[in-house]
Amino acid sequence: MQDLPENEVKLVRLAAAGDDDAFCALRDRYARHLRLLIARYAPDPEDRRDLFSEIIARLLHNDKRALRAWEPRAPFAAYLTTIAVRHCIAWLGRRRGLRERIADLQPSGEEGGGLEDTVAAGPEAEPDAALERLTTRKAVHDAVMQLSDSDRLVLAMRFADGLTGAAIAKVLGITHGAARQRIYKALRRLADICEKLDDDLLS
């Protein structure tokens, strides 16, 4: 194998330009990161292998369009995580139905109770009368389905999978503080949606 640059930008650019050795080096560099992420969605080893192969194939698809589209304003790991997460969400949707997955949110032990309790209390654990009227499972489900995929993802990991903030950070390849911020902001947006729904009901 030829000598390849350690610099991430140069390595991605070489891979995008069709250098097979560079692509293999890039794949190997982030293989562990991808496998850890995929493991959160696919408990079966065969499914994990398939998902890993499919995500790598997405990087090769359409003359490596995904690699060519990356801009080094953010780390390549974050860009790759976005591609992988979207693929895993689509896979879950095909296998079990994302709506069912979100509807079955359950309490867990770290930063509070279940999603309904969290919404009722608000992200800062200060109960809001408007939100308290929307703490039924159906109301929360309807509100959750108005969130973006990324917001639904962190809430599903937190409340459906029962992952701690530290575990979510590891899966997404971000800091613990950044993971907590994502959870907080997702809950804040969910609270805003619930409040709007409540206003619509009262109007």
Side-chain angles (χ1 to χ4, degrees):
M1 182 180 289
Q2 62 178 301
D3 291 334
L4 294 169
E6 289 296 320
N7 180 277
E8 181 179 73
V9 176
K10 292 181 180 178
L11 188 61
V12 174
R13 294 297 182 243
L14 277 174
D19 189 312
D20 291 339
D21 286 346
F23 183 85
C24 290
L26 197 66
R27 177 201 62 199
D28 294 345
R29 179 179 293 188
Y30 296 104
R32 184 173 183 275
H33 173 77
L34 275 179
R35 289 192 171 99
L36 285 172
L37 188 155
I38 290 167
R40 298 311 314 166
Y41 300 90
D44 182 75
E46 186 173 347
D47 287 336
R48 293 180 191 177
R49 287 192 293 271
D50 289 344
L51 278 169
F52 181 84
S53 298
E54 289 168 9
I55 292 166
I56 296 302
R58 286 178 68 87
L59 298 179
L60 291 167
H61 181 66
N62 198 10
D63 194 26
K64 301 184 177 68
R65 180 179 178 181
L67 290 180
R68 291 185 285 108
W70 174 63
E71 294 294 340
R73 290 189 293 268
F76 183 75
Y79 179 71
L80 182 59
T81 294
T82 300
I83 292 174
V85 164
R86 287 175 178 171
H87 189 81
C88 288
I89 288 175
W91 178 81
L92 279 176
R94 293 192 299 271
R95 289 291 295 269
R96 289 179 286 174
L98 185 57
R99 284 182 178 271
E100 178 181 345
R101 181 177 173 82
I102 297 298
D104 288 339
L105 295 172
Q106 296 295 328
S108 63
E110 193 205 14
E111 301 150 341
L115 183 56
E116 291 90 343
D117 295 333
T118 306
V119 172
E124 297 174 310
E126 296 177 359
D128 183 293
L131 295 182
E132 286 179 342
R133 291 193 293 272
L134 285 169
T135 57
T136 64
R137 180 173 296 276
K138 183 181 185 304
V140 173
H141 171 267
D142 291 345
V144 166
M145 295 314 298
Q146 294 188 39
L147 292 170
S148 67
D149 286 347
S150 60
D151 282 347
R152 289 200 299 269
L153 170 66
V154 295
L155 293 182
M157 286 193 294
R158 176 67 189 90
F159 296 98
D161 295 335
L163 297 186
T164 64
I168 292 172
K170 189 173 183 179
V171 168
L172 297 181
I174 58 179
T175 66
H176 188 186
R180 290 176 65 86
Q181 276 294 308
R182 287 197 186 184
I183 296 167
Y184 172 85
K185 288 179 180 178
L187 288 170
R188 182 67 270 167
R189 282 187 279 268
L190 180 60
D192 290 342
I193 291 170
C194 286
E195 187 170 6
K196 183 179 184 302
L197 289 174
D198 191 60
D199 288 342
D200 290 344
L201 287 173
L202 295 175
S203 61

PDB file of all heavy atoms in Angstrom, residues 8 15 19 36 76-77 85 164 173 176 197:
ATOM      1  N   GLU A   8      -6.739  14.237   7.692  1.00  0.00           N
ATOM      2  CA  GLU A   8      -8.075  13.754   7.357  1.00  0.00           C
ATOM      3  C   GLU A   8      -8.579  14.319   6.037  1.00  0.00           C
ATOM      4  O   GLU A   8      -9.120  13.589   5.205  1.00  0.00           O
ATOM      5  CB  GLU A   8      -9.030  14.118   8.493  1.00  0.00           C
ATOM      6  CG  GLU A   8     -10.455  13.661   8.284  1.00  0.00           C
ATOM      7  CD  GLU A   8     -11.340  14.038   9.469  1.00  0.00           C
ATOM      8  OE1 GLU A   8     -11.652  15.241   9.605  1.00  0.00           O
ATOM      9  OE2 GLU A   8     -11.688  13.137  10.237  1.00  0.00           O
ATOM     10  N   ALA A  15      -9.554   9.651  -1.427  1.00  0.00           N
ATOM     11  CA  ALA A  15     -10.571   8.601  -1.549  1.00  0.00           C
ATOM     12  C   ALA A  15     -11.675   9.018  -2.504  1.00  0.00           C
ATOM     13  O   ALA A  15     -12.133   8.222  -3.337  1.00  0.00           O
ATOM     14  CB  ALA A  15     -11.146   8.272  -0.180  1.00  0.00           C
ATOM     15  N   ASP A  19      -8.951   6.964  -5.262  1.00  0.00           N
ATOM     16  CA  ASP A  19      -7.810   6.219  -4.742  1.00  0.00           C
ATOM     17  C   ASP A  19      -8.324   5.110  -3.819  1.00  0.00           C
ATOM     18  O   ASP A  19      -8.802   5.385  -2.714  1.00  0.00           O
ATOM     19  CB  ASP A  19      -6.873   7.166  -3.983  1.00  0.00           C
ATOM     20  CG  ASP A  19      -5.560   6.497  -3.604  1.00  0.00           C
ATOM     21  OD1 ASP A  19      -5.608   5.370  -3.063  1.00  0.00           O
ATOM     22  OD2 ASP A  19      -4.498   7.105  -3.831  1.00  0.00           O
ATOM     23  N   LEU A  36     -19.580   0.664  16.673  1.00  0.00           N
ATOM     24  CA  LEU A  36     -20.162   1.032  17.961  1.00  0.00           C
ATOM     25  C   LEU A  36     -21.525   1.698  17.767  1.00  0.00           C
ATOM     26  O   LEU A  36     -22.472   1.450  18.518  1.00  0.00           O
ATOM     27  CB  LEU A  36     -19.225   1.974  18.723  1.00  0.00           C
ATOM     28  CG  LEU A  36     -17.989   1.337  19.361  1.00  0.00           C
ATOM     29  CD1 LEU A  36     -17.064   2.410  19.910  1.00  0.00           C
ATOM     30  CD2 LEU A  36     -18.395   0.372  20.471  1.00  0.00           C
ATOM     31  N   PHE A  76     -14.800  14.770   9.797  1.00  0.00           N
ATOM     32  CA  PHE A  76     -15.386  13.744   8.936  1.00  0.00           C
ATOM     33  C   PHE A  76     -16.165  12.727   9.763  1.00  0.00           C
ATOM     34  O   PHE A  76     -17.175  12.182   9.291  1.00  0.00           O
ATOM     35  CB  PHE A  76     -14.291  13.037   8.132  1.00  0.00           C
ATOM     36  CG  PHE A  76     -14.837  12.016   7.167  1.00  0.00           C
ATOM     37  CD1 PHE A  76     -15.458  12.413   6.000  1.00  0.00           C
ATOM     38  CD2 PHE A  76     -14.740  10.657   7.452  1.00  0.00           C
ATOM     39  CE1 PHE A  76     -15.985  11.478   5.112  1.00  0.00           C
ATOM     40  CE2 PHE A  76     -15.256   9.717   6.567  1.00  0.00           C
ATOM     41  CZ  PHE A  76     -15.878  10.123   5.393  1.00  0.00           C
ATOM     42  N   ALA A  77     -15.731  12.469  10.990  1.00  0.00           N
ATOM     43  CA  ALA A  77     -16.439  11.521  11.859  1.00  0.00           C
ATOM     44  C   ALA A  77     -17.877  11.968  12.085  1.00  0.00           C
ATOM     45  O   ALA A  77     -18.803  11.144  12.116  1.00  0.00           O
ATOM     46  CB  ALA A  77     -15.716  11.367  13.190  1.00  0.00           C
ATOM     47  N   VAL A  85     -26.353   7.332  10.917  1.00  0.00           N
ATOM     48  CA  VAL A  85     -27.559   7.433  11.730  1.00  0.00           C
ATOM     49  C   VAL A  85     -28.797   7.447  10.840  1.00  0.00           C
ATOM     50  O   VAL A  85     -29.795   6.759  11.121  1.00  0.00           O
ATOM     51  CB  VAL A  85     -27.503   8.691  12.616  1.00  0.00           C
ATOM     52  CG1 VAL A  85     -28.888   9.030  13.168  1.00  0.00           C
ATOM     53  CG2 VAL A  85     -26.525   8.477  13.766  1.00  0.00           C
ATOM     54  N   THR A 164     -27.539   6.350  28.788  1.00  0.00           N
ATOM     55  CA  THR A 164     -27.149   7.530  29.544  1.00  0.00           C
ATOM     56  C   THR A 164     -26.617   8.594  28.584  1.00  0.00           C
ATOM     57  O   THR A 164     -26.324   8.314  27.418  1.00  0.00           O
ATOM     58  CB  THR A 164     -26.046   7.168  30.550  1.00  0.00           C
ATOM     59  OG1 THR A 164     -24.876   6.758  29.826  1.00  0.00           O
ATOM     60  CG2 THR A 164     -26.491   6.062  31.502  1.00  0.00           C
ATOM     61  N   GLY A 173     -20.352  10.071  18.763  1.00  0.00           N
ATOM     62  CA  GLY A 173     -18.999  10.589  18.576  1.00  0.00           C
ATOM     63  C   GLY A 173     -18.855  12.042  18.973  1.00  0.00           C
ATOM     64  O   GLY A 173     -18.106  12.800  18.338  1.00  0.00           O
ATOM     65  N   HIS A 176     -19.797  14.464  26.086  1.00  0.00           N
ATOM     66  CA  HIS A 176     -20.931  14.248  26.978  1.00  0.00           C
ATOM     67  C   HIS A 176     -21.763  15.525  27.084  1.00  0.00           C
ATOM     68  O   HIS A 176     -22.995  15.489  27.041  1.00  0.00           O
ATOM     69  CB  HIS A 176     -20.422  13.811  28.357  1.00  0.00           C
ATOM     70  CG  HIS A 176     -21.510  13.377  29.283  1.00  0.00           C
ATOM     71  ND1 HIS A 176     -21.286  13.068  30.599  1.00  0.00           N
ATOM     72  CD2 HIS A 176     -22.844  13.216  29.091  1.00  0.00           C
ATOM     73  CE1 HIS A 176     -22.420  12.722  31.171  1.00  0.00           C
ATOM     74  NE2 HIS A 176     -23.390  12.802  30.279  1.00  0.00           N
ATOM     75  N   LEU A 197     -49.686  22.701  20.544  1.00  0.00           N
ATOM     76  CA  LEU A 197     -50.837  21.813  20.424  1.00  0.00           C
ATOM     77  C   LEU A 197     -51.897  22.141  21.459  1.00  0.00           C
ATOM     78  O   LEU A 197     -53.091  22.123  21.173  1.00  0.00           O
ATOM     79  CB  LEU A 197     -50.392  20.350  20.570  1.00  0.00           C
ATOM     80  CG  LEU A 197     -49.576  19.765  19.406  1.00  0.00           C
ATOM     81  CD1 LEU A 197     -49.083  18.370  19.771  1.00  0.00           C
ATOM     82  CD2 LEU A 197     -50.403  19.713  18.134  1.00  0.00           C
TER      83      LEU A 197
END
